[in-house]
Amino acid sequence: MNALLPALHREPFVGGRFVPAMGGGVEALVDPWTGTPLAEVALAGPVEVEAAIRTARRAFDACDWPHLPPVDRGAVLHRIAAGIKARQDQFAQIEAVNAGKPISGALREVEGAIRVFTYYAGAMDKVFGDTIPLGKDLLDFTLREPLGVVAQIVPWNFPLLGASWKLAPALASGCAAILKPAPLTPLSALLLAEVCREAGVPDGFLSVLPGGADVGRRLAEDPRIDGISFTGSTIVGAEVMRLASASIKRVALELGGKNAALVFADADMEKAAASAVGSGFGNAGQSCSARSRLLVERSALEPFARAFAAAAARLKTGMALDPATSLGPLISASHRDAVDRTVAQAREAGATLVTGGAMPEGDGFFYPATILSGVGPDNPAFSREIFGPVCSLTPFDSEAEAIALANDSEYGLNGSVWCRDIGRALRVARAMRTGMVAVNGLPSASKTSVFAPFGGYKRSGIGRELGLQALDFYCEIKNVTVDLT
């Protein structure tokens, strides 16, 4: 095992204990910083999936956890947050070497996970039903009840944060959760399972199953599971929804994005350019919320491009645990090659390279921060979710054209508007068909408070994570009517 990796469990966690996997195979993890072996993880197979579902179903149907006072479940979530805090450096080190994150970014994501569990620890006693006036002889009210057994599939780009966004509201609501981390980045989820056990999550209410598509397929299809929350590609999300439909399973999907930042001529160019670096190149561009399409008013295109390139040049590639490192590698060699192919195709289609665009020599799966100009709607860099550190520049001549370009996408997750005219900024924000819009700030939607909902329109998904809105997925609404005569 890699010397930078702390000792931890590397086998499935089923219903409250780590178990030796039977028949699921082994995933050989690779360090994205060096391209060398990192660790081996035992994957869940049919035996572990069946055991996790059976245990969760039995626990939810027979145990007290769903019926506890919300403050009691909240106390457990507070202990989970404290447990993550106590192992903050360990979690950050795992995220850095397993997912290719600079240690500074990994630490921020661990802090985000702590905030999420803390928030939902105090949320459930603030969410309740309604009374509905039906006349003097009838009392009508609603109850919020936990959905049941939920499957949760998280991607490789935000392993701990993605798991926390799903697991915290599920446990707060009283559900039993079966979490499937991505096979490339399962390590922090396995450590999180250990923290949850120590914090007092009852047996049966959490399983963590490292595995691939076969595990996800079984979870989506099984009728004993009441809901499935998936984060990943739009293609796979559509398949999850199809598989879940046979049992009329509740589905939440957080999928792709090809997000636009609109920069008007009166914007603060230096501030907009600095934000574009964070929103486009953060996590090496491997984020569904990355704002990789820079739509710039034509008269401001040249000064913005200069400021953007200068800000991007200040990114530093270095070692995983060096606090000064700000641009890490891509997750794998194959993914880096796919990013490079798309850049080549964009240039063949007429884009001009401003900076970057060539794979460096040496170890690891690095790709430079790349800016392409002259990118029109027919260019693959405009429409394709590249999922790498690649941003494009597209000019516009009017507010109406800017809105049309921003909405010219199958996705609708995230966006931003840069403009000193607040009336125009709000008008444009309203016209953008996206689930989230930032005005004159925030390098990424993931930087917003956990109080705010996260999710998109169109092929970017169904439902919302974070905020009180996330609890809607994990709760059923029951209506009760009492005849008072």
Side-chain angles (χ1 to χ4, degrees), residues 162-353:
S164 300
W165 283 18
K166 295 184 187 300
L167 189 57
L171 292 175
S173 300
C175 294
I178 301 172
L179 181 73
K180 190 196 88 62
L184 292 177
T185 55
L187 298 178
S188 58
L190 292 171
L191 182 57
L192 181 59
E194 189 172 331
V195 168
C196 289
R197 180 177 63 180
E198 293 172 355
V201 173
D203 289 350
F205 280 87
L206 175 61
S207 292
V208 177
L209 305 179
D214 56 328
V215 174
R217 186 178 302 109
R218 290 176 184 274
L219 294 174
E221 289 177 331
D222 198 293
R224 293 169 292 180
I225 292 177
D226 301 295
I228 183 165
S229 176
F230 170 85
T231 299
S233 74
T234 298
I235 291 175
V236 177
E239 178 65 7
V240 168
M241 186 161 57
R242 186 189 70 81
L243 293 171
S245 66
S247 57
I248 319 297
K249 192 183 273 76
R250 187 177 294 184
V251 175
L253 303 173
E254 203 281 284
L255 306 175
K258 187 63 179 177
N259 311 293
L262 282 63
V263 182
F264 287 87
D266 65 341
D268 182 329
M269 292 296 153
E270 294 297 327
K271 185 178 178 184
S275 177
V277 169
S279 68
F281 303 136
N283 205 45
Q286 299 170 120
S287 171
C288 58
S289 63
R291 296 197 286 264
S292 59
R293 290 189 297 149
L294 282 302
L295 312 180
V296 186
E297 193 164 5
R298 194 177 299 274
S299 62
L301 183 60
E302 287 190 16
F304 177 80
R306 287 195 300 270
F308 188 23
R314 291 191 284 271
L315 291 169
K316 182 177 185 294
T317 298
M319 302 299 293
L321 303 186
D322 181 354
T325 299
S326 53
L327 182 64
L330 299 178
I331 191 64
S332 67
S334 61
H335 184 54
R336 177 197 57 191
D337 295 345
V339 169
D340 190 57
R341 283 195 300 272
T342 302
V343 171
Q345 292 165 2
R347 297 180 69 185
E348 291 168 5
T352 300
L353 195 64

Side-chain angles (χ1 to χ4, degrees), residues 101-102 115 145 147 180 198-200 202 243 319 401 468 477:
K101 297 175 182 291
R115 287 196 300 272
E145 299 179 345
L147 176 61
K180 190 196 88 62
E198 293 172 355
L243 293 171
M319 302 299 293
E401 185 185 12
L468 293 178
I477 303 297

